[in-house]
Amino acid sequence: MPRSTPAIVATEMFTRAAQPVIPAGDGLVLRPWLRRDAPEVFAAFQDPAIRRWHVRTADSESEADEWVQSWAGAWSGGLDANWAVADSRSGRIVGRASLQYMVPSQGLAAVAYWVVPGVRGRGIAPRAVNALTDWAFQQAGFHRLELRHSVHNPQSCRVALKSGFRLEAVNRSAGFHEDGWHDMHLHARIVGDSADENALLAAAPTEPFRGIRKFRA
């Protein structure tokens, strides 16, 4: 059945073009994943926080290698777009930034990320998320990006706010973790938003967000 409105993002952006390298400033770059990254991904997933919030474990480097290959291959399918966040001088992997659950026809996607323990607290996650968001809006043509995290993960909440993703809602019992169902914060940015203005607004949530329902096992 034909659509009555044109596609917001052309699928050819992914199916017929090479995945770009995205500068994130001050020696940080988002680049496509390479098979040689598997040992560093395996090492990253030894971190309890990454395992907890991403609900995933890597039992071997070969398993991490399969992940890396799937992340790299997802680009041409137009379903997900995954980047390694790397130090542009050393090439060392410091994290991951992704667009997931993409709906190009409607210009929608979800942002996901992680950073390795040794670089936390240096502003790397907000820089990576901002660089990815700028590319998604200005180059790819997305209209709305969402970012979700457990209400029990204040670190991710700070990253979302610093990146200008305004808190919009609490999705009740929407994320299944090892210890049960968690309520999830829903943050979002839409094209044309001022990241700085959004960050100020998001830092002072309105009344509905003050009484977050606590997790019940």
Side-chain angles (χ1 to χ4, degrees):
M1 181 180 297
R3 292 179 53 85
S4 60
T5 57
I8 303 300
V9 177
T11 56
E12 289 79 8
M13 168 70 66
F14 305 97
T15 59
R16 297 185 182 179
Q19 184 174 0
V21 174
I22 304 172
D26 195 23
L28 196 68
V29 66
L30 278 60
R31 63 156 174 82
W33 285 97
L34 304 170
R35 291 195 67 176
R36 68 168 187 252
D37 298 325
E40 291 183 83
V41 171
F42 175 71
F45 272 81
Q46 305 316 299
D47 173 56
I50 290 179
R51 291 201 306 269
R52 181 184 185 195
W53 299 123
H54 293 269
V55 199
R56 202 168 190 183
T57 60
D59 295 325
S60 65
E61 286 189 11
S62 62
E63 184 174 10
D65 179 66
E66 292 177 1
W67 295 359
V68 168
Q69 290 187 68
S70 69
W71 294 342
W75 173 269
S76 61
L79 299 177
D80 293 322
N82 305 283
W83 282 265
V85 183
D87 184 304
S88 61
R89 292 175 287 267
S90 68
R92 183 169 60 97
I93 299 298
V94 295
R96 177 190 178 203
S98 302
L99 294 177
Q100 300 179 334
Y101 311 113
M102 296 193 307
V103 187
S105 63
Q106 298 182 40
L108 306 176
V111 172
Y113 73 92
W114 50 257
V115 295
V116 300
V119 301
R120 290 175 189 155
R122 302 181 189 177
I124 286 177
R127 284 165 54 199
V129 170
N130 270 318
L132 177 56
T133 300
D134 288 347
W135 177 86
F137 286 154
Q138 298 170 16
Q139 303 299 320
F142 281 89
H143 174 73
R144 175 182 167 92
L145 299 181
E146 298 181 346
L147 191 160
R148 286 179 172 83
H149 63 81
S150 167
V151 299
H152 302 290
N153 187 353
Q155 293 85 1
S156 264
C157 201
R158 286 193 290 270
V159 170
L161 300 184
K162 288 180 180 179
S163 305
F165 279 72
R166 196 182 304 183
L167 179 60
E168 291 189 344
V170 177
N171 298 148
R172 295 179 303 137
S173 197
F176 189 54
H177 292 70
E178 287 186 355
D179 56 349
W181 290 97
H182 287 208
D183 292 341
M184 303 290 283
H185 276 177
L186 167 63
H187 299 258
R189 274 180 65 179
I190 61 173
V191 67
D193 276 353
S194 164
D196 292 338
E197 181 181 348
N198 261 17
L200 289 173
L201 290 170
T206 53
E207 185 65 32
F209 302 115
R210 291 177 184 165
I212 295 172
R213 186 174 70 89
K214 299 297 184 182
F215 165 70
R216 295 196 299 268

